[in-house]
Coordinates of all heavy atoms in Angstrom, one line a residue:
M1 N 23.3 84.9 143.2 CA 24.5 84.0 143.2 C 25.5 84.7 144.1 O 25.7 85.9 144.1 CB 25.0 83.9 141.8 CG 26.1 82.8 141.7 SD 26.9 82.5 140.1 CE 25.6 82.7 138.9
S2 N 26.2 83.9 144.9 CA 27.2 84.5 145.8 C 28.4 84.8 145.1 O 28.7 84.3 144.0 CB 27.5 83.5 146.9 OG 28.3 82.4 146.4
N3 N 29.2 85.7 145.7 CA 30.4 86.2 145.1 C 31.4 85.0 144.7 O 32.0 84.9 143.7 CB 31.1 87.2 145.9 CG 32.3 87.9 145.2 OD1 32.3 88.0 144.0 ND2 33.2 88.3 146.0
S4 N 31.6 84.0 145.7 CA 32.5 82.9 145.4 C 32.0 82.1 144.3 O 32.8 81.6 143.5 CB 32.7 82.1 146.7 OG 31.5 81.5 147.1
S5 N 30.7 81.9 144.1 CA 30.2 81.1 143.0 C 30.5 81.8 141.7 O 30.8 81.2 140.7 CB 28.7 80.8 143.2 OG 28.5 80.0 144.2
E6 N 30.3 83.2 141.7 CA 30.6 83.9 140.5 C 32.0 83.8 140.1 O 32.4 83.7 139.0 CB 30.2 85.4 140.7 CG 28.7 85.6 140.8 CD 28.4 87.0 141.2 OE1 29.3 87.9 141.3 OE2 27.2 87.3 141.5
Q7 N 32.9 83.9 141.1 CA 34.4 83.8 140.8 C 34.7 82.4 140.3 O 35.5 82.3 139.4 CB 35.2 84.1 142.1 CG 35.1 85.6 142.5 CD 35.8 85.8 143.8 OE1 36.1 84.9 144.6 NE2 36.0 87.0 144.2
S8 N 34.1 81.4 140.9 CA 34.3 80.0 140.4 C 33.9 79.9 138.9 O 34.6 79.2 138.2 CB 33.6 79.0 141.3 OG 34.1 79.0 142.6
T9 N 32.8 80.4 138.6 CA 32.3 80.4 137.2 C 33.2 81.1 136.3 O 33.6 80.5 135.2 CB 30.9 81.0 137.1 OG1 30.0 80.3 138.0 CG2 30.3 80.9 135.7
V10 N 33.7 82.2 136.7 CA 34.6 83.0 135.8 C 35.9 82.3 135.6 O 36.4 82.2 134.5 CB 34.8 84.4 136.4 CG1 35.9 85.2 135.7 CG2 33.5 85.2 136.4
S11 N 36.5 81.7 136.7 CA 37.8 81.1 136.6 C 37.8 79.8 135.9 O 38.7 79.5 135.2 CB 38.4 80.9 138.0 OG 37.7 80.0 138.7
S12 N 36.7 79.1 135.9 CA 36.6 77.8 135.3 C 35.8 77.7 134.0 O 35.9 76.8 133.2 CB 36.1 76.8 136.3 OG 34.7 77.0 136.5
G13 N 34.9 78.7 133.9 CA 34.0 78.6 132.7 C 32.7 77.8 133.0 O 31.8 77.8 132.2
L14 N 32.7 77.1 134.1 CA 31.5 76.3 134.4 C 31.0 76.6 135.8 O 31.8 76.7 136.7 CB 31.8 74.8 134.3 CG 32.1 74.2 133.0 CD1 32.6 72.7 133.1 CD2 31.0 74.3 132.0
S15 N 29.7 76.7 136.0 CA 29.1 76.9 137.3 C 29.1 75.5 138.0 O 29.1 74.5 137.3 CB 27.8 77.5 137.2 OG 26.8 76.6 136.7
P16 N 28.9 75.5 139.3 CA 28.7 74.2 140.0 C 27.5 73.5 139.4 O 27.6 72.3 139.3 CB 28.5 74.7 141.5 CG 29.2 75.9 141.6 CD 29.1 76.6 140.3
E17 N 26.4 74.2 139.1 CA 25.3 73.5 138.5 C 25.6 72.8 137.2 O 25.3 71.7 136.9 CB 24.1 74.5 138.3 CG 22.9 73.8 137.7 CD 21.7 74.8 137.5 OE1 21.9 76.0 137.7 OE2 20.7 74.3 137.2
Q18 N 26.4 73.5 136.4 CA 26.8 72.9 135.1 C 27.7 71.7 135.3 O 27.6 70.7 134.5 CB 27.5 74.0 134.2 CG 26.6 75.1 133.7 CD 27.3 76.2 133.1 OE1 28.4 76.7 133.6 NE2 26.9 76.6 131.9
R19 N 28.6 71.8 136.3 CA 29.5 70.6 136.5 C 28.7 69.4 137.1 O 29.0 68.3 136.8 CB 30.5 71.0 137.5 CG 31.6 71.9 137.0 CD 32.7 72.2 138.1 NE 33.7 73.1 137.6 CZ 34.7 72.8 136.8 NH1 34.8 71.6 136.4 NH2 35.5 73.7 136.4
L20 N 27.7 69.7 138.0 CA 27.1 68.6 138.7 C 25.7 68.2 138.2 O 25.2 67.2 138.7 CB 27.0 69.0 140.2 CG 28.4 69.3 140.8 CD1 28.1 69.8 142.3 CD2 29.3 68.1 140.8
E21 N 25.2 68.8 137.2 CA 23.9 68.5 136.6 C 23.9 68.3 135.1 O 23.1 68.8 134.4 CB 22.8 69.6 137.0 CG 22.6 69.8 138.5 CD 22.0 68.6 139.2 OE1 21.3 67.8 138.5 OE2 22.1 68.6 140.4
P22 N 25.0 67.6 134.6 CA 25.0 67.5 133.1 C 24.1 66.4 132.7 O 23.5 65.6 133.5 CB 26.5 67.0 132.9 CG 26.8 66.2 134.2 CD 26.1 66.9 135.3
P23 N 23.9 66.3 131.3 CA 22.9 65.3 130.8 C 23.4 63.8 130.9 O 22.5 62.9 130.8 CB 22.7 65.7 129.4 CG 23.9 66.5 129.0 CD 24.4 67.2 130.3
N24 N 24.6 63.6 131.2 CA 25.1 62.2 131.4 C 26.3 62.1 132.3 O 26.9 63.1 132.6 CB 25.4 61.6 130.0 CG 26.6 62.2 129.3 OD1 27.7 62.2 129.9 ND2 26.4 62.7 128.1
T25 N 26.5 60.9 132.8 CA 27.5 60.7 133.9 C 28.9 60.9 133.4 O 29.8 61.3 134.2 CB 27.4 59.3 134.5 OG1 27.6 58.3 133.4 CG2 26.1 59.1 135.2
R26 N 29.2 60.7 132.1 CA 30.6 61.0 131.6 C 30.9 62.5 131.7 O 32.0 62.9 132.1 CB 30.7 60.5 130.1 CG 30.7 59.0 130.0 CD 30.7 58.5 128.6 NE 31.8 59.1 127.9 CZ 32.0 58.8 126.6 NH1 31.1 58.1 125.9 NH2 33.0 59.4 125.9
L27 N 29.9 63.3 131.4 CA 30.1 64.8 131.6 C 30.3 65.2 133.1 O 31.0 66.1 133.4 CB 29.0 65.6 130.9 CG 29.0 65.5 129.4 CD1 27.8 66.3 128.9 CD2 30.3 66.1 128.8
L28 N 29.5 64.5 133.9 CA 29.6 64.7 135.4 C 31.0 64.4 135.8 O 31.7 65.2 136.5 CB 28.6 63.8 136.1 CG 28.7 63.9 137.6 CD1 28.3 65.3 138.1 CD2 27.8 62.8 138.3
N29 N 31.6 63.2 135.4 CA 32.9 62.9 135.8 C 33.9 63.9 135.3 O 34.9 64.3 136.0 CB 33.3 61.5 135.3 CG 32.5 60.4 136.0 OD1 32.0 60.5 137.1 ND2 32.3 59.3 135.3
A30 N 33.8 64.3 134.1 CA 34.7 65.3 133.5 C 34.6 66.6 134.3 O 35.6 67.3 134.5 CB 34.3 65.6 132.0
G31 N 33.4 67.0 134.7 CA 33.2 68.2 135.4 C 33.9 68.2 136.7 O 34.5 69.2 137.2
I32 N 34.0 67.0 137.4 CA 34.7 66.9 138.6 C 36.2 66.9 138.4 O 36.9 67.6 139.1 CB 34.2 65.7 139.4 CG1 32.7 65.9 139.9 CG2 35.1 65.4 140.6 CD1 32.0 64.8 140.5
V33 N 36.7 66.1 137.5 CA 38.1 65.9 137.4 C 38.8 67.2 136.8 O 40.0 67.4 137.0 CB 38.6 64.7 136.5 CG1 38.1 63.4 137.1 CG2 38.1 64.8 135.1
T34 N 38.0 68.1 136.2 CA 38.6 69.3 135.7 C 38.5 70.5 136.7 O 38.9 71.6 136.4 CB 37.9 69.8 134.4 OG1 36.5 69.9 134.6 CG2 38.2 68.7 133.3
I35 N 38.1 70.2 137.9 CA 38.2 71.2 139.0 C 39.7 71.4 139.4 O 40.3 70.4 139.8 CB 37.4 70.8 140.2 CG1 35.9 70.7 139.9 CG2 37.6 71.8 141.4 CD1 35.0 70.1 140.9
N36 N 40.2 72.6 139.2 CA 41.6 72.8 139.4 C 41.9 73.7 140.6 O 43.1 74.0 140.8 CB 42.2 73.4 138.2 CG 42.2 72.3 137.1 OD1 42.5 71.2 137.3 ND2 41.9 72.8 135.9
D37 N 40.9 74.1 141.4 CA 41.2 75.0 142.5 C 40.2 74.7 143.6 O 39.1 74.2 143.4 CB 41.2 76.5 142.1 CG 39.8 76.9 141.6 OD1 39.0 77.3 142.4 OD2 39.6 76.8 140.4
M38 N 40.6 75.0 144.9 CA 39.8 74.7 146.0 C 38.5 75.5 146.1 O 37.5 75.1 146.5 CB 40.6 74.8 147.3 CG 41.6 73.8 147.5 SD 41.0 72.1 147.4 CE 40.2 72.0 149.0
E39 N 38.6 76.7 145.6 CA 37.4 77.6 145.6 C 36.3 77.0 144.7 O 35.1 77.0 145.2 CB 37.8 79.0 145.0 CG 36.7 80.0 145.1 CD 37.1 81.4 144.6 OE1 38.3 81.7 144.7 OE2 36.2 82.1 144.3
T40 N 36.6 76.5 143.5 CA 35.6 75.9 142.7 C 35.1 74.7 143.3 O 33.9 74.4 143.3 CB 36.2 75.6 141.3 OG1 36.7 76.8 140.7 CG2 35.2 74.9 140.4
L41 N 36.0 73.9 143.9 CA 35.6 72.7 144.6 C 34.6 72.9 145.7 O 33.6 72.3 145.9 CB 36.8 71.9 145.1 CG 36.4 70.5 145.7 CD1 36.6 69.5 144.7 CD2 37.2 70.3 146.9
R42 N 34.9 73.9 146.6 CA 34.0 74.3 147.7 C 32.7 74.8 147.1 O 31.6 74.4 147.7 CB 34.7 75.4 148.5 CG 35.8 74.9 149.4 CD 36.3 76.0 150.3 NE 37.6 75.6 150.9 CZ 38.8 76.1 150.5 NH1 38.9 77.0 149.6 NH2 39.9 75.6 151.1
A43 N 32.6 75.5 146.1 CA 31.4 75.9 145.5 C 30.6 74.7 145.0 O 29.3 74.7 145.2 CB 31.6 76.9 144.3
C44 N 31.2 73.7 144.5 CA 30.5 72.5 144.0 C 30.0 71.7 145.2 O 28.9 71.2 145.1 CB 31.5 71.7 143.1 SG 31.8 72.4 141.5
V45 N 30.8 71.6 146.2 CA 30.3 70.9 147.4 C 29.1 71.6 148.0 O 28.1 71.0 148.4 CB 31.4 70.7 148.5 CG1 30.9 70.2 149.8 CG2 32.5 69.8 148.0
A46 N 29.2 72.9 148.1 CA 28.0 73.7 148.6 C 26.8 73.5 147.8 O 25.7 73.3 148.3 CB 28.4 75.2 148.7
Y47 N 27.0 73.5 146.5 CA 25.9 73.3 145.5 C 25.2 71.9 145.8 O 24.0 71.8 145.9 CB 26.3 73.5 144.1 CG 25.2 73.2 143.1 CD1 24.3 74.1 142.8 CD2 25.0 71.9 142.6 CE1 23.2 73.9 141.9 CE2 24.0 71.6 141.8 CZ 23.1 72.6 141.4 OH 22.0 72.3 140.6
E48 N 26.1 70.9 145.8 CA 25.6 69.6 146.0 C 24.9 69.4 147.3 O 23.8 68.8 147.4 CB 26.7 68.6 145.8 CG 26.3 67.1 145.8 CD 25.4 66.7 144.7 OE1 25.5 67.4 143.6 OE2 24.7 65.8 144.8
N49 N 25.4 69.9 148.4 CA 24.8 69.9 149.7 C 23.4 70.6 149.7 O 22.5 70.1 150.4 CB 25.7 70.5 150.8 CG 26.8 69.5 151.2 OD1 26.6 68.3 151.2 ND2 27.9 70.0 151.5
A50 N 23.3 71.7 149.0 CA 22.1 72.4 149.0 C 21.0 71.8 148.1 O 19.8 72.1 148.2 CB 22.4 73.9 148.5
H51 N 21.4 71.0 147.1 CA 20.5 70.5 146.1 C 20.2 69.0 146.2 O 19.2 68.6 146.7 CB 20.9 71.0 144.7 CG 20.8 72.4 144.5 ND1 21.9 73.3 144.9 CD2 19.8 73.2 144.1 CE1 21.5 74.5 144.6 NE2 20.3 74.5 144.2
Q52 N 21.1 68.2 145.7 CA 20.9 66.8 145.5 C 21.4 66.0 146.7 O 20.8 65.0 147.0 CB 21.6 66.3 144.3 CG 21.2 66.9 143.0 CD 19.8 66.4 142.6 OE1 19.4 65.4 142.9 NE2 19.1 67.3 141.8
Q53 N 22.5 66.4 147.3 CA 23.0 65.6 148.5 C 23.3 64.2 148.1 O 23.1 63.2 148.9 CB 22.1 65.7 149.7 CG 22.0 67.1 150.2 CD 21.1 67.2 151.4 OE1 20.5 66.2 151.8 NE2 20.9 68.4 151.9
R54 N 23.9 63.9 146.9 CA 24.2 62.6 146.5 C 25.6 62.2 147.1 O 26.6 62.8 146.8 CB 24.3 62.5 145.0 CG 23.0 62.9 144.3 CD 23.1 63.1 142.8 NE 23.8 64.3 142.6 CZ 24.0 64.9 141.4 NH1 23.5 64.3 140.3 NH2 24.7 66.0 141.3
V55 N 25.5 61.1 147.9 CA 26.7 60.7 148.6 C 27.9 60.4 147.6 O 29.0 60.7 147.9 CB 26.4 59.5 149.5 CG1 27.6 58.9 150.1 CG2 25.4 59.9 150.6
Q56 N 27.5 59.7 146.6 CA 28.6 59.3 145.6 C 29.3 60.5 145.0 O 30.5 60.5 144.9 CB 28.0 58.4 144.5 CG 29.0 57.9 143.5 CD 28.4 57.0 142.5 OE1 27.2 57.0 142.2 NE2 29.2 56.2 141.8
I57 N 28.5 61.5 144.7 CA 29.1 62.8 144.1 C 30.0 63.5 145.2 O 31.1 63.9 144.9 CB 28.0 63.7 143.6 CG1 27.2 63.0 142.5 CG2 28.6 65.0 143.1 CD1 27.9 62.4 141.3
L58 N 29.5 63.5 146.4 CA 30.2 64.2 147.5 C 31.5 63.4 147.7 O 32.6 64.0 148.0 CB 29.4 64.3 148.7 CG 28.2 65.3 148.6 CD1 27.3 65.1 149.8 CD2 28.8 66.7 148.6
R59 N 31.5 62.1 147.6 CA 32.7 61.3 147.7 C 33.7 61.6 146.6 O 34.9 61.7 146.8 CB 32.4 59.8 147.8 CG 31.9 59.4 149.1 CD 31.7 57.9 149.1 NE 31.0 57.4 150.3 CZ 30.1 56.5 150.4 NH1 29.8 55.8 149.3 NH2 29.6 56.2 151.5
R60 N 33.2 61.8 145.4 CA 34.1 62.1 144.3 C 34.7 63.5 144.5 O 35.9 63.7 144.2 CB 33.3 62.1 143.0 CG 33.0 60.7 142.5 CD 32.3 60.8 141.2 NE 31.7 59.5 140.8 CZ 31.0 59.3 139.7 NH1 30.7 60.3 138.9 NH2 30.6 58.1 139.5
L61 N 33.9 64.4 145.0 CA 34.4 65.8 145.3 C 35.5 65.7 146.4 O 36.5 66.4 146.3 CB 33.3 66.7 145.6 CG 32.3 67.1 144.5 CD1 31.1 67.8 145.0 CD2 33.0 67.9 143.4
E62 N 35.2 64.9 147.4 CA 36.2 64.7 148.5 C 37.5 64.2 147.9 O 38.6 64.6 148.3 CB 35.6 63.8 149.6 CG 36.6 63.6 150.7 CD 36.0 62.7 151.8 OE1 35.0 62.0 151.5 OE2 36.5 62.7 152.9
H63 N 37.4 63.2 147.1 CA 38.6 62.6 146.4 C 39.4 63.6 145.6 O 40.6 63.7 145.7 CB 38.2 61.4 145.6 CG 39.4 60.7 144.9 ND1 39.8 61.0 143.6 CD2 40.2 59.8 145.4 CE1 40.8 60.2 143.4 NE2 41.1 59.5 144.4
R64 N 38.6 64.5 144.9 CA 39.3 65.5 144.1 C 40.0 66.5 145.0 O 41.1 67.0 144.7 CB 38.2 66.2 143.2 CG 38.8 67.2 142.3 CD 39.8 66.6 141.3 NE 40.4 67.6 140.5 CZ 41.7 67.6 140.1 NH1 42.5 66.5 140.5 NH2 42.2 68.6 139.4
A65 N 39.3 66.8 146.2 CA 40.0 67.8 147.1 C 41.3 67.2 147.6 O 42.3 67.9 147.7 CB 39.0 68.0 148.3
T66 N 41.3 65.9 147.9 CA 42.6 65.2 148.3 C 43.6 65.4 147.3 O 44.8 65.7 147.6 CB 42.3 63.7 148.7 OG1 41.3 63.7 149.7 CG2 43.5 63.1 149.1
E67 N 43.2 65.2 146.0 CA 44.2 65.3 144.9 C 44.7 66.7 144.8 O 45.9 66.9 144.6 CB 43.5 64.9 143.6 CG 43.2 63.5 143.4 CD 42.4 63.1 142.2 OE1 41.9 64.1 141.6 OE2 42.4 62.0 141.8
L68 N 43.9 67.7 144.9 CA 44.3 69.1 144.8 C 45.2 69.5 146.0 O 46.2 70.2 145.8 CB 43.1 70.0 144.9 CG 42.2 70.1 143.6 CD1 41.0 70.9 143.8 CD2 43.0 70.5 142.4
R69 N 44.9 69.0 147.2 CA 45.8 69.3 148.3 C 47.2 68.6 148.1 O 48.2 69.2 148.5 CB 45.2 68.7 149.6 CG 44.0 69.6 150.1 CD 43.5 69.1 151.4 NE 42.2 69.7 151.7 CZ 41.0 69.1 151.7 NH1 41.0 67.8 151.4 NH2 39.9 69.7 151.9
S70 N 47.2 67.4 147.6 CA 48.5 66.8 147.4 C 49.3 67.5 146.3 O 50.6 67.5 146.4 CB 48.3 65.3 147.0 OG 47.8 65.2 145.7
Q71 N 48.7 68.2 145.4 CA 49.4 68.9 144.3 C 50.0 70.2 144.9 O 51.0 70.7 144.4 CB 48.4 69.3 143.2 CG 48.0 68.1 142.4 CD 46.9 68.4 141.4 OE1 46.6 69.6 141.2 NE2 46.4 67.4 140.7
E72 N 49.3 70.7 145.9 CA 49.8 72.0 146.6 C 51.0 71.8 147.4 O 51.8 72.7 147.6 CB 48.7 72.6 147.5 CG 47.5 73.1 146.7 CD 46.4 73.6 147.6 OE1 46.5 73.4 148.8 OE2 45.4 74.1 147.1
D73 N 51.2 70.6 147.9 CA 52.4 70.3 148.7 C 53.7 70.2 148.0 O 53.8 70.1 146.9 CB 52.2 68.9 149.4 CG 51.1 69.0 150.4 OD1 50.7 70.1 150.9 OD2 50.6 67.9 150.8

């Protein structure tokens, strides 16, 4: 596991795999909306790109990134 993925897991309590591969879609949505930092978000995008490449999930992650950026301003 890369260092950034380890840090993301430590800071959030969930790995990208746990966020993006839950047993149902409600947990998937919760995993995305509870991303609170860009580092975790980047780790999730990298995970999704490397594994499933689901366009809908990548769009949700992109939307969450937009929300996080607007909170930083």
Side-chain angles (χ1 to χ4, degrees):
M1 189 180 323
S2 73
N3 190 29
S4 64
S5 293
E6 290 173 9
Q7 289 173 349
S8 295
T9 301
V10 171
S11 67
S12 67
L14 294 174
S15 71
E17 182 179 8
Q18 290 170 316
R19 287 183 184 279
L20 300 177
E21 300 292 341
N24 67 58
T25 56
R26 289 174 57 184
L27 291 175
L28 176 69
N29 292 335
I32 292 173
V33 299
T34 58
I35 295 172
N36 294 317
D37 61 90
M38 292 302 286
E39 185 178 337
T40 301
L41 185 95
R42 285 185 194 104
C44 288
V45 170
Y47 176 85
E48 187 63 24
N49 282 327
H51 294 86
Q52 299 287 335
Q53 299 179 356
R54 297 169 290 188
V55 173
Q56 184 178 18
I57 302 306
L58 291 167
R59 284 186 185 141
R60 289 183 188 175
L61 291 168
E62 181 181 15
H63 182 262
R64 186 65 186 137
T66 301
E67 291 175 341
L68 289 173
R69 286 185 194 108
S70 70
Q71 291 172 7
E72 291 175 357
D73 292 340

